[in-house]
Amino acid sequence: MNRLRLLLGLGAFGVVGGGLSIWYGFRNEMCTVGTGVQSQCGPNIIFLIPGILLTLVGIGLLLMAYQRGSSSRSPPIDG
């Protein structure tokens, strides 16, 4: 039960932290100065890539916690 709570906590932290990092990456765009009026703006890749990775790790931990939790609650199979 203690390990399950740890997985749930780390998974939730990963999803929330990654989501905030992705949001911050899109909020603070990086703009390159172009010639004349043309300037290209895009998401801040410094926050975007770690945010995506952290979100994926968090989702993986939550799925692992769900799998462990559902296997411990299932009744034993009579065979």
Side-chain angles (χ1 to χ4, degrees):
M1 186 67 178
N2 217 4
R3 231 178 219 187
L4 185 63
R5 282 189 180 175
L6 180 66
L7 285 175
L8 285 172
L10 289 175
F13 174 74
V15 169
V16 171
L20 285 174
S21 181
I22 292 170
W23 171 77
Y24 191 76
F26 277 109
R27 185 174 174 264
N28 295 336
E29 294 181 336
M30 292 179 71
C31 296
T32 58
V33 179
T35 58
V37 181
Q38 296 177 345
S39 64
Q40 300 267 339
C41 291
N44 193 342
I45 203 96
I46 295 170
F47 292 104
L48 193 61
I49 291 177
I52 290 171
L53 292 175
L54 190 60
T55 303
L56 290 176
V57 167
I59 289 172
L61 288 173
L62 286 175
L63 288 174
M64 195 164 35
Y66 174 76
Q67 185 180 19
R68 284 186 183 217
S70 65
S71 67
S72 66
R73 284 182 293 212
S74 63
I77 299 173
D78 294 332

